Amino acid sequence: MKWIVLKRTIDYDGSQISSLWGYMEADLQEDSIIAFRGSCDVQIRHMIDLEDRKEGDSIYSTDMLHFVIEHFDSTDLKLIYTRQRLFASIVAETLLQRGIRTSRAGDDLFVQGKKLSISIASTSAVSQKIHFGMNVEHNVYGCLSDQGVPEKDMFSMMEEIASRYVEEVHDIEKDLRKSRPLSVI
């Protein structure tokens, strides 16, 4: 698995959750996590969450840190939702190390009772995908700027989160290769 943090701004519109976006955007043909910064405006046609779609919810932010994850080893929806929650926990741990206390409910992070993040997971015929976004600036929801995260630290925080997720996945795969199967008695 590889990670990359893009230096250019990309505005997230929901199309980035499509299969093989990492290949088209950054020439990554393996499991990957691509981080970038930009606004977020997910239109109804790109909404994966049917509850949001039925409610006609708006998913909008002027400035977010985005993480798009793709795994090719399975198309199991339960597995990608588990990975999504693992990722949210890694983000929460990373923020706590920076002095920002969050709470997690499923795949969502909250800071001082305000929703800080958005996330969705889904599968296609070839891969599993996760999008996770965190508000940098927002006048209604929680945001990193209100928590005192300096502008100069945003890029390094994306690198740290992405690399920690990749390390966790590699560690899991290493453990899989050292455990013997249970025997039937």
Side-chain angles (χ1 to χ4, degrees):
M1 180 167 204
K2 290 190 177 178
W3 64 270
I4 186 171
V5 178
L6 302 176
K7 293 187 178 184
R8 69 184 179 285
T9 299
I10 298 177
D11 295 327
Y12 184 84
D13 64 8
S15 64
Q16 296 83 359
I17 195 91
S18 64
S19 296
L20 304 169
W21 178 80
Y23 177 51
M24 298 302 293
E25 187 66 34
D27 206 31
L28 293 172
Q29 285 187 281
E30 62 236 88
D31 289 7
S32 63
I33 178 169
I34 300 174
F36 56 94
R37 186 170 175 177
S39 68
C40 177
D41 188 5
V42 181
Q43 300 299 309
I44 293 289
R45 73 180 182 279
H46 289 301
M47 282 191 191
I48 305 289
D49 188 318
L50 294 179
E51 191 173 283
D52 289 343
R53 195 173 187 157
K54 282 175 68 175
E55 296 295 322
D57 284 350
S58 170
I59 301 175
Y60 180 80
S61 180
T62 57
D63 192 6
M64 293 186 105
L65 304 182
H66 299 277
F67 302 86
V68 175
I69 301 167
E70 187 163 26
H71 289 278
F72 291 96
D73 61 343
S74 174
T75 57
D76 181 358
L77 196 56
K78 186 183 283 188
L79 176 58
I80 197 59
Y81 270 100
T82 302
R83 287 172 165 167
Q84 178 190 34
R85 289 175 186 216
L86 172 64
F87 185 79
S89 296
I90 288 169
V91 173
E93 289 173 1
T94 303
L95 292 173
L96 185 58
Q97 290 173 344
R98 292 170 178 259
I100 302 168
R101 185 175 305 277
T102 61
S103 60
R104 182 178 64 83
D107 58 6
D108 293 321
L109 296 181
F110 295 82
V111 61
Q112 298 173 337
K114 294 181 178 179
K115 190 172 178 185
L116 173 66
S117 65
I118 61 168
S119 188
I120 191 65
S122 195
T123 62
S124 73
V126 298
S127 67
Q128 301 172 328
K129 293 291 296 256
I130 297 170
H131 168 257
F132 187 95
M134 264 190 305
N135 290 313
V136 173
E137 294 281 344
H138 207 289
N139 58 359
V140 175
Y141 297 109
C143 61
L144 297 172
S145 63
D146 285 351
Q147 298 307 305
V149 178
E151 180 65 35
K152 65 179 181 58
D153 289 354
M154 297 296 173
F155 190 82
S156 64
M157 186 164 46
M158 287 190 292
E159 288 182 323
E160 183 179 350
I161 291 167
S163 67
R164 286 186 68 188
Y165 181 75
V166 169
E167 288 170 15
E168 191 73 34
V169 169
H170 286 170
D171 194 47
I172 290 167
E173 290 174 356
K174 182 179 167 188
D175 285 350
L176 288 171
R177 289 167 179 83
K178 71 173 185 164
S179 301
R180 68 175 183 81
L182 298 175
S183 301
V184 178
I185 300 178

